[in-house]
Amino acid sequence: MQLIAQILFIIAFVFGVGFFIRNIRKLTRNIKLGKDIDRTDNPKERFANMARVALGQSKMVRRPIAGIMHIFVYVGFVIINIEVLEIIIDGIFGTHRIFSFLGGFYDFLIASFEILALLVLIGVIVFWLRRNIQKIKRFWANEMKGWPKNDANYILYFEMVLMALFLIMNATDYQLQLNGADHYANEAGIMGSFPVSQYLLPLFDGLSNATLIIVERAAWWLHILGILFFLNYLYYSKHLHILLAFPNTYYANLKPKGEFNNLESVTNEVKLMMDPSADPFAAPDPDEDEQVPEKFGASDATDLNWVQLLNAYTCTECGRCTSECPANQTGKKLSPRKIMMDTRDRLEEIGENINKNGEYKAEEDNKQLLNDYITKEELWACTTCNACVEACPIGIDPLSIIMDMRRYLVMEESAAPNELNVAMSNIENNGAPWPYNQMDRLNWAKEEA
């Protein structure tokens, strides 16, 4: 019977990990559909940013209640899963608490896991109350209806169940050790320390060892299968940030937030115009490999660079960006969170096209990110204040996507708002956004005099 259990465990483990690897490959492929961009500079600064923001949660605690609860859940969930290594070894080889030879240190580990499990449970309950009872506004925006809202709750329920199973597993294991049951008891004494689960023992008072073993094994199997299921659910969930927050913060833009990038081709044209010695009629140098951009800006997800696509997959949908956005707060349609969600949804749609055909077939896809997902009204509502970038706990940059899509509208479709077209025409003709001749620019000073 034990051998059958080991075989079943190995099958479940291999299938779970294999499916996870398959999903990660799809994820990596989709991100690589973006344009190339070099983010390998300043590795020390990048590692420091990752350690501070992703590992240290420095931006999460700017909102203390949510930040502290998130640290409980984050640290607890990560550290508790260290025990998964022991569960895997026990499952494969049929052993029981294989790391118990560590003695006092093992007792300390199990005690720490239990305390953290309780903190995770408290944190998750607080999150559920804030989301569903308190109904914080940013969790009930239009883009959060349907799957995004349900997904968030599914994860909270799932974490509650996993922590409860962990404590039930330990409680029944502890009781079986106290009872001296075969396979559980050890001559060296009690294996592990159970500061939380010991208070669950009255629930199992009077149960026979056989019944306790059934409860313990059921909790053990459901706990490990639940973790494998959760691992594969991540790909379909906003909780993918558990894995992607680290590379996302490492590859974040380190330049000042107010510094926008320029298209190299446009920069070269401007330099040529400003160079008094340049011959505008000269033929291009045949030795120079000047690449003409296939498109100015971005109208679809694949026009964005791979870091922007990584941002889209990393978005936690927490809504801090939208809650800080002045355009959104004054009733405009723009929601930086929706920009990231739309980009991810569109990229997934492109990925499904590739899954179906082996390659992307444009003739089967009559959609694009611009207009079908993100409207012009949303894009032009942005004030480019960078509040959304500053607010994001893991360094996501919705503004860069907005600017690239605006660039497409202006340079490819000449579809800027009239006010902007007037200002650009004035700059071209008068050297300033105002409709005054350059010679008349200082007339106001004469009036003041």
Side-chain angles (χ1 to χ4, degrees), residues 27-35 37 240 244 248 300-315 340 343-344 346-348 350 369 397 400-401:
L27 174 69
T28 305
R29 179 206 63 195
N30 290 353
I31 291 173
K32 287 182 177 179
L33 293 174
K35 304 297 183 185
I37 184 174
L240 196 55
L244 297 184
N248 193 81
D300 210 350
T302 51
D303 298 326
L304 302 170
N305 65 59
W306 66 266
V307 174
Q308 292 170 317
L309 301 185
L310 174 63
N311 281 183
Y313 272 120
T314 310
C315 179
M340 304 314 300
T343 303
R344 181 186 61 214
R346 173 58 185 157
L347 187 56
E348 275 293 293
I350 294 171
L369 185 60
D397 187 359
S400 67
I401 296 177

Side-chain angles (χ1 to χ4, degrees), residues 100-137:
S100 60
F101 69 88
L102 296 173
F105 182 63
Y106 183 76
D107 293 345
F108 169 77
L109 283 177
I110 299 301
S112 301
F113 295 160
E114 290 213 344
I115 292 170
L116 287 170
L118 180 61
L119 291 175
V120 170
L121 205 53
I122 293 171
V124 168
I125 291 171
V126 171
F127 284 148
W128 187 89
L129 291 172
R130 282 163 54 86
R131 185 175 290 271
N132 297 282
I133 304 300
Q134 189 179 355
K135 292 190 176 181
I136 294 176
K137 182 180 178 182

Side-chain angles (χ1 to χ4, degrees), residues 144-207:
M144 296 303 291
K145 293 178 180 177
W147 170 251
K149 175 179 176 292
N150 293 334
D151 173 45
N153 282 327
Y154 293 157
I155 289 291
L156 295 178
Y157 298 142
F158 213 84
E159 290 178 347
M160 289 181 200
V161 170
L162 284 178
M163 293 306 102
L165 288 170
F166 172 74
L167 293 173
I168 291 170
M169 177 183 75
N170 277 358
T172 49
D173 187 291
Y174 182 36
Q175 185 63 65
L176 286 164
Q177 290 189 61
L178 292 173
N179 293 350
D182 291 340
H183 187 70
Y184 291 88
N186 190 294
E187 293 180 359
I190 300 298
M191 295 178 289
S193 179
F194 308 94
V196 177
S197 61
Q198 64 177 330
Y199 293 104
L200 300 179
L201 293 185
L203 297 175
F204 310 107
D205 189 34
L207 297 181

Side-chain angles (χ1 to χ4, degrees), residues 15-16 44 107 113 177 205 254 332 351 392-393:
F15 178 80
K44 290 184 179 179
D107 293 345
F113 295 160
Q177 290 189 61
D205 189 34
L254 299 180
K332 307 296 191 301
C392 181

Side-chain angles (χ1 to χ4, degrees), residues 341-360:
M341 293 169 68
D342 286 343
T343 303
R344 181 186 61 214
D345 290 346
R346 173 58 185 157
L347 187 56
E348 275 293 293
E349 189 174 54
I350 294 171
E352 286 302 315
N353 183 302
I354 297 173
N355 293 341
K356 177 183 176 182
N357 301 302
E359 62 180 359
Y360 179 65

